[in-house]
Amino acid sequence: MPLTGTRDLTAIAGSAPLLTSLDTDPWELKGAQHLQLHYELGGDRQALLPPALHPSIPPTLLVNVTHVPDSEVGAFNLATVRVGCRAGARPRGLLVRGYCDSAAATSVLRERWGYPIDLADVWFKPGYARAATSVTVDGEVVLEGELVDPQPITGADVQYMASLNLARVSRDGEEKALLLQVDPDFTFERAQRGRPRLKVFDAEAWNLPGASAAHPISASLTTVDITLPSLRYLVHPERDPLGAVERLPQPQPA
Amino acid sequence: MKFGVFFEISVPRPWGPETEYTVYQNCLEQARLADELGFDQAWAVEHHFLEEYSHCSAPEIFLTAIAMQTKNLRVGHGIVTCVPELNNPIRSAERAAVLDLVSGGRLEFGTGRSATWTELGGFGANPDETKKTWDEYVRVIPKMWTQERFSHQGRAFSMPERTILPKPYQKPHPPMWVAVTSVGTEIDAAERGLGSLGLSFGGVGEQAQKIEGYRKRIQSCDPVGEFVNEQVNTVSFLYCHEDDEKGVKTGQRMAGTFNYLSEQTLATRQAFPTPSYLSPGLLYQLRQESTSGPEGKVPQGLTIGDPHRVAEAVRSWEAAGVDRINFLLNVHETVPQEDVLASMRLFAKEVMPQFAQTDAAPEPAGATAAGGA
């Protein structure tokens, strides 16, 4: 059996969103710009993951920043830092903390998809020569990075990992820390690949103590229509990987 | 139809002081038995850093050990990674020639380029370049083997004129292959006159289409070597047992374990967006058809079960146009060694003779051991 995580997520679940229903409709976010900085992860590969997840070989750190120019709650920027891992045999990114610059979007993302995010200043400037981003929390810069040397590729070359969002879920009178799988659909309009450059990464601010961006892999910048889906799966973080995934009941077609 | 064995050398955790030693010794014992039972060939992968999935990072040494412990078994690189950061092409040609010499002309030379960021990133290789460097390697290595003096000015490497030594025992040189996993690589193989070394487990229907395209295209190839190696090799799991249910269950456990382990690695495409890797890689393709067919049935071509079922699976490959099948005999030591050996013996006794007279595999024109028949 491959290595599994050792982290007890209940210790950090207190600030995670509380969902009383897992029944949500898809949300289409058109014309988004999405930056990903992909690194090999430094630090204890098992200490950042719960027992339900395997560290990938090698484990990775995924910095994702999305600018949504318009939505039912207006424009917003969302920043997450995830740990690339495996739920059973499936590639996933564990998200235990992120930030958004819109209170309304933060509420929607927390309440409907369990994004463990808080309000902060998320700055994102895509450009042709570089794409830069920073996240500032209570006056402290907790992330600053950029894509450099972009070159055009196609959207077909890009593969994003689904997220496992740490959330508290109330079911049958019981509240429990669970990981909600969010596997958006992406329709790419434009894509570029470059090199990642991470200037500031405060691991504690992302609830990833000891994590570091050890070795750069790639960076990508895409213009993309994103559809956040209905929730279909969740993961019980404390379980063995082979028994951790729960398929949620899906609404029957009329 | 010819049969071979295929070694990934997967090593389960926990890794004690004896674990890797035991797995390697088990594999060598399997190779010796394969030789005794009349299997034709043994192949070994080249993988690096793929924890538990494959600890076969120095296949040239492992294959040499096999060659020294067997009489007839041909030894195959499945594959040599043709990427400069992993293997210098001159050293690859030299090592292969030595292996061919010490084995008495039993080398099969498979080529490829790696499918994982785990490996390419570990060596600092650029995934954008691997298809190009592979192409350069397969064109220059046969020249290194056959030309007394060789020089090269290329993209992957350059060298002034030297005599690359020694030369292989097989003349003009050992048969050359390319690992076929990504869609379209079978055409790359055909265009260059190389053998198709299929490495995606299961999937007879899909491979039949690839083989048809390969056979058609190779008729008008421009061979990179001194001869055309028109042969199609595939790989499957083998677990043969008198009790069909036990054979199927054990075989499916092997296949499932293999896929689970392979998915833990980081496919190039998952980490590094590039048009050079169109499909998610070897690992994704393995999962598709290898572990379960429709309604939980054994997929066509998966050589597990009792001898009758295994023979039927072999026939499906034969009908698809495959010349050779190589069997993965164990995964992660999920099957006790004695059971692995018993499975091999039962296959050799009950299944192999059924295909002894239907040797449809065309021999590569021109590849003969210098001192042999």
Side-chain angles (χ1 to χ4, degrees), chain B residues 109-372:
Chain B
F109 190 76
T111 64
R113 62 186 180 122
S114 178
T116 70
W117 173 262
T118 312
E119 294 165 287
L120 295 174
F123 281 97
N126 180 355
D128 285 338
E129 293 293 314
T130 59
K131 197 92 175 176
K132 299 163 194 164
T133 59
W134 166 79
D135 198 15
E136 192 170 336
Y137 275 47
V138 298
R139 293 176 192 281
V140 299
I141 286 176
K143 293 183 173 63
M144 293 177 178
W145 285 334
T146 55
Q147 295 178 3
E148 182 169 335
R149 294 182 186 280
F150 176 84
S151 64
H152 181 68
Q153 296 293 318
R155 182 188 179 100
F157 81 107
S158 297
M159 65 176 292
E161 187 173 89
R162 293 288 187 278
T163 302
I164 294 174
L165 300 168
K167 303 300 185 192
Y169 190 53
Q170 292 175 90
K171 301 301 180 191
H173 56 72
M176 293 179 66
W177 304 77
V178 57
V180 173
T181 51
S182 299
V183 175
T185 308
E186 74 280 5
I187 301 302
D188 289 339
E191 287 174 342
R192 292 158 182 77
L194 300 170
S196 172
L197 184 59
L199 293 181
S200 49
F201 293 74
V204 174
E206 179 192 322
Q207 289 207 38
Q209 284 185 330
K210 285 185 175 179
I211 293 166
E212 187 179 352
Y214 170 83
R215 300 278 191 209
K216 191 173 179 181
R217 182 66 188 87
I218 203 167
Q219 300 309 313
S220 56
C221 72
D222 181 13
V224 294
E226 296 287 315
F227 61 94
V228 175
N229 182 29
E230 185 189 344
Q231 295 190 79
V232 175
N233 223 327
T234 195
V235 66
S236 181
F237 300 93
L238 177 67
Y239 190 72
C240 190
H241 195 276
E242 291 88 348
D243 180 341
D244 185 53
E245 187 179 347
K246 181 172 181 182
V248 166
K249 276 189 178 172
T250 304
Q252 286 186 320
R253 193 171 73 242
M254 267 205 300
T257 303
F258 182 90
N259 292 343
Y260 197 85
L261 292 175
S262 70
E263 294 285 6
Q264 304 305 317
T265 67
L266 194 58
T268 301
R269 190 176 167 76
Q270 290 170 344
F272 191 91
T274 171
S276 184
Y277 286 85
L278 291 174
S279 67
L282 166 71
L283 316 175
Y284 175 79
Q285 295 192 358
L286 297 179
R287 196 177 64 225
Q288 296 302 298
E289 298 178 286
S290 60
T291 49
S292 60
E295 300 171 2
K297 292 180 179 173
V298 178
Q300 188 185 21
L302 193 56
T303 40
I304 59 175
D306 66 10
H308 174 74
R309 185 189 291 276
V310 170
E312 287 303 307
V314 173
R315 283 193 186 89
S316 72
W317 286 114
E318 193 174 48
V322 163
D323 302 312
R324 308 176 177 191
I325 305 177
N326 297 307
F327 297 118
L328 202 64
L329 302 169
N330 203 356
V331 175
H332 218 228
E333 301 298 283
T334 52
V335 184
Q337 174 76 346
E338 280 311 307
D339 292 352
V340 172
L341 302 179
S343 163
M344 294 172 69
R345 290 191 183 99
L346 184 62
F347 176 84
K349 181 184 174 194
E350 300 288 341
V351 181
M352 205 183 276
Q354 298 180 40
F355 299 89
Q357 302 303 317
T358 57
D359 189 358
E363 292 297 329
T368 59

